[in-house]
């Protein structure tokens, strides 16, 4: 069992996802299998095969979530220091080359979601920003080449 660090909100989201899979998705798949089975010959029943495949994928996802939850360690957000960029801080940066400003929250791998502005601490940008202060200009090696970012703000 791997230990995964996450916020209370991230943990609650995983628990909600698990409950949805077990209480809504699983019964729906079982019902689809029952209905397909009632249609007769299973050897040539594409609906039955598709439902069984869906069930297999669902059970794998449930097992994966249970493993993540079992190894979850909730991070105490009250101990976060905003003097430097670190896990769970929100950082506003400016691309020195083009002036574009971006705000990201540095999170664990299990909680990363770029659409929500949450980047994993294991990404090149997050790794480059960690332990730096407001006003620092950091060079980050990204797949597109070296980029320079100025740290404008650090908050929670």
């Amino acid at each position: 069992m791997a230990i995964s660090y996450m916020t209370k909100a991230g943990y609650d989201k995983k628990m909600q996802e698990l409950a949805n899979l077990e209480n809504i998705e699983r019964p729906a798949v079982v019902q689809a299998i029952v209905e397909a089975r009632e249609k007769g010959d299973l050897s040539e029943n594409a609906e039955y095969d598709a439902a069984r495949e869906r069930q297999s994928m669902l059970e794998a996802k449930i097992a994966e979530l249970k493993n993540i939850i079992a190894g979850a360690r909730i991070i105490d957000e009250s101990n976060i220091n905003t003097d430097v960029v670190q896990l769970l801080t929100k950082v506003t940066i400016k691309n020195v080359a083009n002036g574009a400003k971006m705000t990201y929250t540095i999170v664990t791998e299990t909680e990363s979601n770029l659409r929500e502005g949450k980047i994993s601490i294991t990404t090149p940008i997050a790794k480059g920003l960690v332990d730096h202060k407001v006003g620092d200009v950091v060079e980050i090696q990204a797949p597109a080449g070296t980029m320079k970012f100025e740290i404008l703000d650090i908050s929670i």
Side-chain angles (χ1 to χ4, degrees):
M1 173 179 61
I3 292 176
S4 56
Y5 294 94
M6 58 183 70
T7 61
K8 175 77 169 102
Y11 178 81
D12 291 344
K13 190 174 181 180
K14 295 287 182 202
M15 290 297 289
Q16 201 172 32
E17 184 180 357
L18 179 62
N20 178 60
L21 292 176
E22 289 183 326
N23 301 325
I24 296 170
E25 297 292 327
R26 184 184 273 160
V29 169
V30 169
Q31 184 60 36
I33 290 171
V34 168
E35 288 173 8
R37 193 178 288 148
E38 290 173 354
K39 293 183 178 172
D41 185 8
L42 298 181
S43 65
E44 295 180 16
N45 190 330
E47 273 184 61
Y48 178 77
D49 292 340
R52 291 296 305 221
E53 177 69 19
R54 186 169 161 220
Q55 181 185 37
S56 175
M57 290 170 44
L58 178 68
E59 293 302 328
K61 180 68 175 169
I62 288 171
E64 178 188 355
L65 272 173
K66 283 184 173 183
N67 191 35
I68 290 170
I69 290 166
R73 300 295 180 266
I74 308 299
I75 299 168
D76 183 1
E77 297 177 60
S78 65
N79 294 333
I80 297 172
N81 174 0
T82 58
D83 291 342
V84 295
V85 177
Q86 62 180 322
L87 187 64
L88 298 183
T89 55
K90 184 180 283 190
V91 59
T92 301
I93 57 176
K94 179 175 78 173
N95 185 323
V96 174
N98 63 18
K101 292 181 183 177
M102 298 152 277
T103 300
Y104 297 116
T105 301
I106 311 297
V107 297
T108 62
E109 282 186 65
T110 59
E111 294 183 72
S112 66
N113 184 332
L114 196 54
R115 277 179 262 146
E116 294 176 6
K118 297 177 180 180
I119 61 171
S120 168
I121 192 138
T122 60
T123 62
I125 290 178
K127 284 180 179 179
L129 295 173
V130 168
D131 293 331
H132 287 279
K133 300 177 180 181
V134 171
D136 286 357
V137 175
V138 294
E139 286 189 17
I140 297 172
Q141 263 318 113
T146 302
M147 303 170 77
K148 286 186 180 183
F149 295 102
E150 179 183 357
I151 300 174
L152 303 176
D153 185 54
I154 302 169
S155 61
I156 295 178

